[in-house]
Amino acid sequence: MELILNTYGVSLNREGESFVITSSDGRQRLPAVGISSIQISRGAQITSDAVLLAIEHEIEIIFMDKSGNPMGRIWSPRFGSISTIRKGQLNFVYSKAAMEWIKSVIDKKMENQQALMLLFCKRDDIDVDVDKNIARIEDYRTKVKALKGEIVNDIAPSLRGWEGRAANVYFSTINSFLPEPMRFKERSQHPAMDVTNAFLNYGYGILYGRIEGALIKAGIDPYVGVMHRDDYNRPVLVYDVIELYRIWVDYVVYTLLAQNVVTDEFYSVREDNSYWLEPLGRRVLIQSLNDYLDEIINVNGTQRSRLTQISIYAQSLAQTFKKYE
């Protein structure tokens, strides 16, 4: 269970082996056992006693910004890496295997986009040639698989180009599925310039935090990336791995928006015309995404929740890195 504190003025304390949440609505006591993470947004408070309880139970604490992105975290020292994984990770980054790995990641991302386009847009009332756009992405997948080189830098510009073109086709196609008020001109990140991008950005922020935590627990350094290697002091490996799972956020957000349940209470518009989720919008999205991540799915013959599948993948990646030590 994830404990989420995103209401201004709420506080988290400790009583014995339990957490106590205090807000304007009263007090709530929750046993530490069964809690996997604590997410804290600006305006909420946590005591040092509560922090120590979390560390004792190996519960990670994530501090989030207003867009849902992780700004910092506290975790148990038992999550620490071992030298063989980190040494291997550094060697892997500059190997031909890293190039093949990132090609497979981008290929899977495009395959996921095709699947969602087929799921949402293969309808009589959609005024876009879905089959044609799926074929266009298939062409980009073929180009990605054909890229040759010795290290990631040899193919990175071409890889980013095909990835970007596929994304443009994907988002323009999905746009035709959304209700008219929810449609957007283009992806906008920081800040979002429409409601849909505000939901996507917040959902991706939550997913960033989940993936970073899984990598840390597996002993991997999230700051050593493969394709994303140039950003200073950023968990760039998270930006690589998330491409495998972005589609989960997309599915939840598009499904939510298609239900026409979003009202003015879900978001606000600032003076610069940027869009930000308000507490109600964040609460609905967080609950919807958590429910989806907790759903049991089959991956490579393994029946686990989607969230656990991320951890399994991180552990597998750590074992791959160890081979390059």
Side-chain angles (χ1 to χ4, degrees), residues 50-272:
V51 170
L52 290 172
L53 179 61
I55 291 173
E56 291 166 10
H57 287 266
E58 299 185 29
I59 301 170
E60 62 178 350
I61 302 173
I62 310 171
F63 295 92
M64 318 289 285
D65 67 11
K66 59 184 178 180
S67 297
N69 295 300
M71 298 299 293
R73 67 176 64 232
I74 300 171
W75 66 85
S76 167
R78 298 187 185 92
F79 293 175
S81 178
I82 59 175
S83 61
T84 52
I85 296 177
R86 288 182 177 245
K87 289 176 183 177
Q89 184 178 354
L90 290 170
N91 290 333
F92 176 83
V93 165
Y94 294 100
S95 71
K96 190 170 184 177
M99 182 191 70
E100 296 300 328
W101 176 77
I102 197 63
K103 284 170 57 178
S104 70
V105 168
I106 300 305
D107 177 62
K108 184 61 178 177
K109 175 184 179 180
M110 292 182 184
E111 182 185 11
N112 290 339
Q113 291 172 337
Q114 289 174 310
L116 205 61
M117 290 162 59
L118 192 60
L119 175 65
F120 282 156
C121 302
K122 195 66 174 175
R123 302 183 339 201
D124 293 337
D125 59 335
I126 299 295
D127 57 355
V128 171
D129 191 336
V130 180
D131 290 332
K132 178 181 178 181
N133 288 347
I134 288 176
R136 289 173 66 188
I137 293 183
E138 187 65 28
D139 182 52
Y140 298 141
R141 291 180 64 190
T142 301
K143 288 180 168 62
V144 166
K145 293 173 185 175
L147 289 172
K148 302 295 184 182
E150 293 300 318
I151 60 174
V152 174
N153 283 349
D154 294 340
I155 66 168
S158 297
L159 195 58
R160 291 190 180 97
W162 300 131
E163 179 188 18
R165 293 185 184 184
N168 289 337
V169 173
Y170 165 69
F171 283 117
S172 64
T173 306
I174 290 293
N175 219 19
S176 64
F177 161 77
L178 296 173
E180 188 66 37
M182 299 293 110
R183 296 182 181 180
F184 56 97
K185 294 181 179 179
E186 59 184 359
R187 273 288 289 138
S188 53
Q189 299 182 33
H190 305 296
M193 303 308 294
D194 54 72
V195 179
T196 299
N197 276 295
F199 273 95
L200 288 173
N201 292 346
Y202 201 91
Y204 292 152
I206 294 172
L207 191 57
Y208 283 134
R210 299 288 198 279
I211 293 174
E212 184 179 4
L215 294 176
I216 291 171
K217 289 179 182 179
I220 295 173
D221 187 344
Y223 287 81
V224 179
V226 175
M227 188 165 75
H228 296 86
R229 297 212 304 255
D230 300 323
D231 292 318
Y232 175 72
N233 201 26
R234 292 289 186 272
V236 285
L237 185 61
V238 178
Y239 304 158
D240 292 331
V241 175
I242 197 175
E243 302 300 354
L244 295 167
Y245 303 106
R246 281 188 191 274
I247 205 72
W248 291 352
V249 172
D250 293 359
Y251 176 83
V252 171
V253 168
Y254 297 145
T255 301
L256 185 64
L257 296 179
Q259 295 172 359
N260 283 312
V261 297
V262 176
T263 67
D264 293 345
E265 296 178 284
F266 280 60
Y267 63 92
S268 61
V269 184
R270 307 292 169 82
E271 292 182 358
D272 61 354

Side-chain angles (χ1 to χ4, degrees), residues 10-56:
V10 68
S11 64
L12 188 68
N13 208 330
R14 173 180 186 169
E15 282 187 4
E17 294 302 303
S18 296
F19 294 105
V20 176
I21 304 173
T22 304
S23 67
S24 57
D25 296 327
R27 298 171 81 252
Q28 183 181 7
R29 195 169 186 269
L30 294 172
V33 176
I35 296 176
S36 58
S37 69
I38 300 172
Q39 300 170 39
I40 303 176
S41 299
R42 186 172 298 175
Q45 301 176 6
I46 183 171
T47 66
S48 58
D49 287 343
V51 170
L52 290 172
L53 179 61
I55 291 173
E56 291 166 10

